[in-house]
Structure formats: structure tokens, C-alpha cells
């Protein structure tokens, strides 16, 4: 007789056994243990190289439609707190980790990672060889996979599901965007505020929500901006009626080529007010300026990507999350590449007379604050624009008084 059965009466082992599978589109099958929600879910598997910040990662809307595999083996040790939420819910398809912490240790912790995911109907698996899967993704590129705790489904059925779904060409930003305009007023909490410079003149910014992270809005507010957040489908004409000092195009999930309406919106705003694009916003800006985007082999996901600012020569340690990039060879004359990713030389920033963009998250703090200057630069861009508008008016007044 099984000793475990003899000891526990009902045949239950004193430890959890494998009860989940991750089936990848290449045919590989990975047995694992489940936590969080149960069921069957399909998504694109990407790996994230961050050592900390898993709560910010799982609440980043840019992960919609994706399983996030953490390369750091030990996850869950700091639990969950509600101050680190980056959006109103978890949009990712699932979480894949090596080792799930059996205890939590953090003064802000209010619940465990497993309970948090279960309450939000997000699947997770652990005790899987994340190193081997990461090596496969680096070699073959991002793969569609299926997570399942359903024993009634065969491996072949799950494999077929992975072959019948594709993240390319799907509009994912409309599913994560807000549904109506609203004002944002929350600043960075004083405990975490690091900028000693007091905000100067206030500027009104319209922020397009393609899946915007809360800390982007907090940093803008901390620099003195009044912010109106609008949905991804908000018409450019309605934005211009608000007479903003600047427009922010946010981060967001998926393929920028799958949202031509958003590219059209950017085109209709370019040249009229200062523009700042972040991640998806950067890619849409690249397309609106005449360039093309392409799907990367496995993308950039993590809080340790080195970026060089070509204007200053400084190197920033950045947080990134994207599977697409702007091809600088397709950009027209007059568009400046301002930043490059030092891991692969890809385009990480663009600028023209009234625009600026970054292919990473300046509000994140892996550096810890290497990239926060981008918000100051955006404010300076709006300040110069306002000053240029005042000069003709002052000249006209002077002429009339002469």
C-alpha cells in the first residue's frame, strides 16, 4: 500500500502533485502545478527578466493576451499590496514561474500571490523548468501556448488550440482602454517622490489610454500637469477641441499594425500640439511619421535593459515590455532616432520638432530614476510651444502701441 495513502486515509499526498499542463505550439508539453484560477487558457508565451516587481508586471495592461514567464526562479515572497497596482485589473493570460514562495515577508503585504490571482480569475503554474522554456523561446521566438488544468482535454486537443490562435493582427488595446474620458489627479505619493524640483507652470495633457499604467499618470501629475484620460477610440477632433498643451499616447498590448484607427488619430494630432509616445505610443508615432513596425523574435520584457541616449551619451537602465519595434531604416528624413537599445541596437526613441517618444517605461524605476527626465522634457516641449504662441501676440500688441 502507498505509505501516503496509509497515512492520510483518502490517498492524498502531503504535497501538491502536477495538475496542469503548458502545451506550446512547437509540440512540447510541460507538466506543472497550478495556482490561482483553474481552466484552460490560450496566449503567447513571453519571458520577463525582472528580478522584482511581479505585481507591477501582472497588472500591466500591455501583457494582455500573453503568458508571462518569470526568469527569476523565486516568485511570491513579498506577497501582494494594493499600492503597487498599475491598472484596474490583471489583463495577462497567465503566469509561469519556477518556484512559488510558501510564505510572504513584506510590511505592506495584504494577501498571497495565489489568492490574488484566484480572485481575478488568472491562471498560474509553478514547478516547471522556466530556464528550459526561456532557452527555447530565445532560440525559436515567442510561441503560442495553452495552459490547462482540465484532465478531460488531450494533449493533441490543446496543441490544436495553440495552432488555431494567433496574437498577430488582433486589436488588443480596445479591450484594455477606459470606456469614457475622466480626469486624473493622483500624484506620486510623497514617500516615493524623488524629484526635489517644484512643478512650475501647469499644462493640460490629454492622455490616450491604450492600456496606460497608473505611474505614467502619477509622474505627469507630479510635474504639474492637469490630465484628461480618453479612450483609445477618442476622435482627434474632440481632443483638439479641448485645446490641450500636449497629448500623450500611452503604452498598450499587441500589434500596432492591428489598430489603424489609432495611427490615424496620431496623424491627425501630429504638428498641432506637442506629442509624447510611450511604448505602443512610440510605435504608433513611428507609423504615423511614415515608418514601419515589425514583430521582434522574442521582444523585450524586463527591468534591466540598457539604453543609450544618443543626444547625451548617457546609458539608462530601463524597464521594457514590447514585442514590436520601429524599423529606423523606414523613417523619413527629419525624424531623429534619439535612443537605442544596447542589447540589440533596436530603436528605443524618436523625436521631431514637436514630438518625442520612448520604446520603454520612463516612469518605472529600475535605474532607479534614470529615465524620469523624459517627463521634464515633455513639459519643456509644451513650455516652448506656449512661448512660441505668445511671441506673435506680443509682437502684435507692440506694433499696435507703436
Amino acid at each position: 500500500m502507498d505509505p501516503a495513502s496509509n497515512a492520510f486515509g483518502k490517498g492524498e499526498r502531503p504535497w501538491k502533485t502536477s495538475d496542469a499542463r503548458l502545451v506550446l505550439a512547437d509540440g512540447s508539453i510541460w507538466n506543472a502545478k497550478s495556482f490561482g484560477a483553474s481552466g484552460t487558457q490560450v496566449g503567447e508565451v513571453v519571458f520577463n527578466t525582472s528580478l522584482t516587481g511581479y505585481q507591477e508586471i501582472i497588472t500591466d495592461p500591455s501583457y494582455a493576451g500573453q503568458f508571462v514567464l518569470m526568469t527569476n526562479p523565486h516568485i511570491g515572497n513579498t506577497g501582494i499590496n494594493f499600492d503597487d497596482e498599475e491598472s484596474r485589473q490583471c489583463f495577462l493570460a497567465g503566469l509561469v514561474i519556477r518556484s512559488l514562495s510558501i510564505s510572504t515577508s513584506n510590511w505592506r503585504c495584504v494577501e498571497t500571490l495565489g489568492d490574488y490571482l484566484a480572485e481575478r480569475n488568472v491562471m498560474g503554474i509553478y514547478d516547471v523548468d522556466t530556464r528550459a522554456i526561456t532557452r527555447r523561446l530565445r532560440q525559436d521566438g515567442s510561441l503560442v501556448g495553452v495552459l490547462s488544468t482540465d484532465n478531460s482535454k488531450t494533449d493533441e486537443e490543446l496543441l490544436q488550440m495553440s495552432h488555431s490562435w494567433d496574437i498577430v493582427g488582433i486589436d488588443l488595446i480596445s479591450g484594455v482602454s477606459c470606456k469614457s474620458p475622466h480626469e486624473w489627479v493622483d500624484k506620486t505619493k510623497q514617500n516615493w517622490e524623488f524629484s526635489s524640483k517644484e512643478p512650475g507652470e501647469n499644462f493640460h495633457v490629454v492622455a490616450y489610454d491604450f492600456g496606460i499604467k497608473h505611474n505614467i499618470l502619477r509622474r505627469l501629475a507630479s510635474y504639474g500637469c492637469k490630465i484628461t484620460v480618453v479612450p483609445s477610440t477618442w476622435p482627434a477632433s474632440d481632443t483638439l477641441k479641448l485645446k490641450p498643451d500636449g497629448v500623450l499616447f500611452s503604452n498598450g498590448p499587441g500589434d500596432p499594425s492591428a489598430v489603424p484607427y489609432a495611427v490615424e488619430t496620431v496623424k491627425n494630432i501630429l504638428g498641432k500640439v506637442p506629442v509624447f509616445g510611450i511604448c505602443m505610443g512610440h510605435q504608433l508615432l513611428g507609423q504615423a511619421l511614415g515608418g514601419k513596425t515589425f514583430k521582434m523574435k522574442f521582444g523585450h520584457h524586463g527591468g534591466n535593459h540598457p539604453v543609450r541616449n544618443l543626444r547625451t551619451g548617457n546609458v539608462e537602465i530601463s524597464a521594457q515590455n514590447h514585442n514590436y519595434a520601429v524599423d529606423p531604416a523606414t523613417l523619413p528624413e527629419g525624424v531623429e532616432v534619439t535612443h537605442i537599445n544596447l542589447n540589440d541596437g533596436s530603436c528605443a526613441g524618436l523625436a521631431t520638432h514637436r514630438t518625442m517618444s520612448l520604446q520603454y517605461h520612463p516612469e518605472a524605476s529600475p535605474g532607479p530614476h534614470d529615465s524620469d527626465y523624459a517627463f521634464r522634457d515633455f513639459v519643456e516641449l509644451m513650455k516652448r510651444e506656449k512661448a512660441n504662441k505668445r511671441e506673435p501676440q506680443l509682437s502684435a500688441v507692440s506694433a499696435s502701441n507703436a
Side-chain angles (χ1 to χ4, degrees), residues 179-289:
K179 304 307 177 187
S180 60
H182 61 276
E183 301 299 315
W184 180 275
V185 295
D186 293 343
K187 298 181 180 179
T188 303
K189 288 188 176 180
Q190 197 57 43
N191 290 348
W192 312 111
E193 180 58 73
F194 49 86
S195 176
S196 59
K197 185 178 179 181
E198 289 295 320
E201 185 178 3
N202 289 342
F203 295 95
H204 180 207
V205 175
V206 171
Y208 272 81
D209 180 8
F210 299 138
I212 198 166
K213 293 172 67 178
H214 288 171
N215 272 329
I216 292 176
L217 296 169
R218 291 189 186 107
R219 292 312 296 149
L220 276 175
S222 296
Y223 274 91
C225 295
K226 173 191 173 185
I227 307 165
T228 302
V229 183
V230 299
S232 60
T233 55
W234 191 252
S237 57
D238 288 353
T239 293
L240 296 174
K241 286 177 185 175
L242 296 173
K243 298 188 183 305
D245 297 300
V247 174
L248 172 84
F249 294 106
S250 82
N251 63 291
D255 182 355
S257 298
V259 287
Y261 63 88
V263 178
E264 199 61 30
T265 299
V266 179
K267 284 182 179 179
N268 290 332
I269 290 175
L270 280 178
K272 297 180 175 69
V273 294
V275 166
F276 184 16
I278 296 176
C279 293
M280 170 63 80
H282 160 85
Q283 296 160 17
L284 296 174
L285 185 64
Q287 288 192 4
L289 289 168

Side-chain angles (χ1 to χ4, degrees), residues 44 46 60-66 165-174 176 210-211 250-259 279-281 283-284 287 293-296 301 321-325 359:
E44 180 183 45
V46 298
D60 181 352
S62 295
Y63 281 116
Q66 293 179 322
W165 186 85
D166 195 348
I167 198 170
V168 177
I170 299 176
D171 175 4
L172 292 172
I173 65 175
S174 59
V176 302
F210 299 138
S250 82
N251 63 291
D255 182 355
S257 298
V259 287
C279 293
M280 170 63 80
Q283 296 160 17
L284 296 174
Q287 288 192 4
T293 55
F294 64 95
K295 193 173 194 295
M296 309 176 81
H301 311 277
N321 174 20
H322 60 102
N323 267 25
Y324 293 82
Q359 183 62 90

Side-chain angles (χ1 to χ4, degrees), residues 51 54 71-77 97-103:
L51 299 180
Y54 56 80
T71 59
N72 182 26
H74 195 59
I75 300 295
N77 54 318
I97 63 176
R98 177 67 183 93
S99 176
L100 179 64
S101 179
I102 61 173
S103 62

Side-chain angles (χ1 to χ4, degrees), residues 13-199:
R13 297 181 183 274
W15 58 86
K16 187 177 179 72
T17 56
S18 294
D19 61 343
R21 288 165 292 168
L22 171 62
V23 177
L24 298 180
D26 65 357
S28 60
I29 300 168
W30 308 81
N31 293 318
K33 300 172 184 175
S34 67
F35 70 107
S38 300
T40 300
Q41 181 69 46
V42 62
E44 180 183 45
V45 185
V46 298
F47 61 88
N48 186 299
T49 56
S50 293
L51 299 180
T52 61
Y54 56 80
Q55 186 174 347
E56 290 92 332
I57 290 165
I58 62 180
T59 55
D60 181 352
S62 295
Y63 281 116
Q66 293 179 322
F67 297 129
V68 180
L69 180 152
M70 301 297 297
T71 59
N72 182 26
H74 195 59
I75 300 295
N77 54 318
T78 57
I80 292 292
N81 73 84
F82 298 122
D83 288 336
D84 289 348
E85 305 279 77
E86 286 287 2
S87 66
R88 66 185 184 277
Q89 69 182 76
C90 298
F91 289 100
L92 80 169
L95 187 64
V96 180
I97 63 176
R98 177 67 183 93
S99 176
L100 179 64
S101 179
I102 61 173
S103 62
T104 60
S105 179
N106 185 275
W107 63 278
R108 295 189 297 159
C109 175
V110 293
E111 68 177 329
T112 66
L113 174 60
D115 289 343
Y116 178 84
L117 293 184
E119 290 164 4
R120 286 153 181 79
N121 198 33
V122 176
M123 296 183 68
I125 59 170
Y126 68 102
D127 262 12
V128 63
D129 192 344
T130 53
R131 180 177 174 84
I133 298 175
T134 299
R135 289 172 64 90
R136 188 173 295 246
L137 297 176
R138 284 185 59 86
Q139 176 179 313
D140 301 332
S142 299
L143 292 166
V144 173
V146 179
L147 267 180
S148 183
T149 58
D150 186 352
N151 290 329
S152 69
K153 294 186 182 297
T154 66
D155 293 343
E156 187 57 39
E157 286 176 320
L158 298 179
L159 181 61
Q160 187 58 42
M161 284 182 64
S162 72
H163 289 163
S164 61
W165 186 85
D166 195 348
I167 198 170
V168 177
I170 299 176
D171 175 4
L172 292 172
I173 65 175
S174 59
V176 302
S177 179
C178 62
K179 304 307 177 187
S180 60
H182 61 276
E183 301 299 315
W184 180 275
V185 295
D186 293 343
K187 298 181 180 179
T188 303
K189 288 188 176 180
Q190 197 57 43
N191 290 348
W192 312 111
E193 180 58 73
F194 49 86
S195 176
S196 59
K197 185 178 179 181
E198 289 295 320

Side-chain angles (χ1 to χ4, degrees), residues 270 275 277 282 285-286 289-291 308-313 326-340 346-360 373 377 381 384:
L270 280 178
V275 166
H282 160 85
L285 185 64
L289 289 168
R308 184 184 298 281
N309 183 326
L310 298 179
R311 289 175 166 177
T312 65
V326 175
D327 181 358
T330 65
L331 293 169
E333 188 176 347
V335 180
E336 177 189 3
V337 175
T338 57
H339 300 71
I340 59 168
S346 59
C347 174
L350 296 173
T352 66
H353 174 58
R354 285 175 166 167
T355 67
M356 55 180 285
S357 69
L358 295 175
Q359 183 62 90
Y360 55 97
Y373 68 87
D377 288 352
L381 200 61
R384 288 198 302 270

